[in-house]
Amino acid sequence: MADREVDLFVIGGGSGGVRAARIAAGYGARVILAEEYRVGGTCVIRGCVPKKLLVYASRFSHDFEEAAGFGWTVGEPSFDWATLIANKDKEIARLEAAYTANLDRAKVTIVKSRAVLDDAHTVRLLATGERVHAKHILVATGAAPSMGHGVAGIEHVISSNEAFHLTELPKRILIQGGGYIAVEFACIFAGLGSEVTLVYRGENILRGFDDEVRAHLRHEMERRGIKIICKRIVEAIEKVDHGLCVELSDHDDILVDRVMFATGRRPNIAGLGLETTGVRIDEKGAVAVDAFSRTSVPHIYAVGDVTDRLALTPIAIREGHAFADTVFGGKPTAVDHVNVPTAVFSEPEVGVVGLSEAQARERLPKVDVYATTFRSMRTAFLGGEARMLMKLVVDGMTDRVVGCHLVGPDAGELIQVIGIAVKMKATKADFDATVAVHPTIAEELVTLRTVTRSHVREAAE
Ligand code: NDP
């Protein structure tokens, strides 16, 4: 016999779970949400939010350097890691409290406990042993860093989780991986003054992004002093007198103070008791769901990173909201995963929406590319070398802008707005018809008059 009965039991208090719980409760459902760590999940506690605070901190080094060109005299800047981390922790605690208060206001019962499934309708709270009978269950347990295959000395390696709580800024750090997290942390540490080496197993960082973006960002990161080593992996890590000695696959040794792996994340499904329910797990180890986030068991749903569809916070939030609308609001809603704008908070930033040039060439008979690189007004004034990349990928048959790729200041802010135009199926002519805002960086997007190159698919291709 269960001790309590609810309409919805949400396992996981991250972006997806919190939104689903709040909206479902708003529809009148009796909701319990269980979170074993801290309310807010990866994004708020050890992901997007603290990361962005570190990104802000890391950019001051450039600002101080550039200030002199504008007439400022800045004394010798010094940076205190402990102050940054303490202030970051204070802000995260504030946000966690706000999330908790929002759930309380929505009359969601929060239980600070790990929750496991005893069967398809019964959830057990490990903290108290209480068993809850739930009409619906939402699995929103997120994902955790995957440290790859076990190399010798893996115990010396940190993930992004630990990077947020280091007691001091490493003088030298080696980061393995070429995805969002590796690139972002490489830029954060470099901006704060660390000597950074990034080791990536493939040809170039940010696999899956537009090739021109990858090349441009790599060049800019290298120009800022980050050492990028591709086509290598970390073979072993050994603790030595003055730090950690990292052996790469080409037998080169690199001496650093910290080693961080950002080699992907795996869905949190272990030990949840999902096997007692018959919920299908897909070949990637994620909970398999349909367009409405429903698992193979009709009253059990899953949203966010545990489903490994598109591991982005705003997507998890939408999936959680859509689930609540579907199940408790009588409005079946599927989340649209197409043309999702995204940003990499590297230095410089990357902003992307839609198809890369290569993807467009695979899918469309004719593709026109408009691309430019240029120095911003600020950079040119200061005699700097950093160049911005702007690129529009256009369907040559319909004139529709199917992709936009930016590398440079505020690319993340810009791509949010361009994402609306791309989502609305704006054409290149619409971009051209829009008057420039002068003087801005973004105006280049509406003044790209000349086709850089066109690809026409041959009949036999
Ligand atoms: P990614 O999947 O983006 O990148 C993982 C990287 O590690 C890839 O470069 C991959 O190489 C490499 N890799 C994987 N396994 C191994 C291995 N065994 N040995 C060596 N290298 C390996 O994961 P992240 O951890 O960077 O980020 C996870 C997700 O979180 C992202 O996909 C993104 O969706 C989300 N995120 C979003 C952010 C944002 O919106 N700004 C910020 C941070 C994370 P290969 O390319 O060859 O597969």
Side-chain angles (χ1 to χ4, degrees), residues 53-73:
L53 297 175
L54 301 198
V55 167
Y56 284 133
S58 71
R59 290 181 178 164
F60 278 93
S61 49
H62 294 137
D63 293 343
F64 291 135
E65 279 166 23
E66 294 184 348
F70 287 99
W72 287 93
T73 302

Side-chain angles (χ1 to χ4, degrees), residues 328-440:
F328 298 101
K331 292 180 280 185
T333 309
V335 171
D336 179 5
H337 292 96
V338 177
N339 283 334
V340 172
T342 175
V344 184
F345 293 99
S346 44
E347 179 60 33
E349 266 177 31
V350 173
V352 172
V353 64
L355 302 180
S356 67
E357 184 175 343
Q359 288 168 335
R361 287 183 65 176
E362 271 169 27
R363 293 179 203 187
L364 303 170
K366 182 166 184 281
V367 177
D368 294 331
V369 175
Y370 297 78
T372 181
T373 73
F374 59 92
R375 290 190 305 161
S376 70
M377 188 180 182
R378 176 178 162 133
T379 305
F381 173 76
L382 293 168
E385 290 171 27
R387 298 186 79 80
M388 173 116 194
L389 169 71
M390 285 192 171
K391 177 167 177 176
L392 293 179
V393 181
V394 177
D395 181 336
M397 307 302 283
T398 62
D399 198 39
R400 227 185 104 184
V401 177
V402 293
C404 177
H405 306 268
L406 310 173
V407 184
D410 300 321
E413 302 290 341
L414 291 173
I415 210 67
Q416 177 68 82
V417 182
I418 298 162
I420 301 171
V422 171
K423 203 73 193 155
M424 290 177 73
K425 304 185 175 33
T427 61
K428 179 64 171 55
D430 293 324
F431 275 63
D432 295 345
T434 306
V435 173
V437 179
H438 186 71
T440 62

Side-chain angles (χ1 to χ4, degrees), residues 51 149 178-181 184 200-201 207 262-265 311-312 343:
K51 180 273 306 290
H149 58 283
Y180 281 82
I181 297 179
E184 291 182 341
Y200 172 53
R201 66 181 176 182
R207 183 170 62 81
T263 44
R265 296 173 64 84
L312 297 170

Side-chain angles (χ1 to χ4, degrees), residues 42 47-48 51 143-151 160 176-185 199-209 214 232-234 261-266 305 308-314 341-346 350:
T42 299
C48 325
K51 180 273 306 290
S146 149
M147 302 301 262
H149 58 283
V151 295
S160 54
Q176 171 158 250
Y180 281 82
I181 297 179
V183 165
E184 291 182 341
F185 271 91
V199 175
Y200 172 53
R201 66 181 176 182
E203 287 283 336
N204 201 1
I205 55 171
L206 289 185
R207 183 170 62 81
F209 284 68
R214 300 167 73 192
R232 304 278 186 284
I233 56 167
V234 171
F261 280 8
T263 44
R265 296 173 64 84
R266 84 189 117 61
D305 291 4
D308 199 17
R309 285 175 282 182
L310 203 46
L312 297 170
T313 296
T342 175
V344 184
F345 293 99
S346 44
V350 173

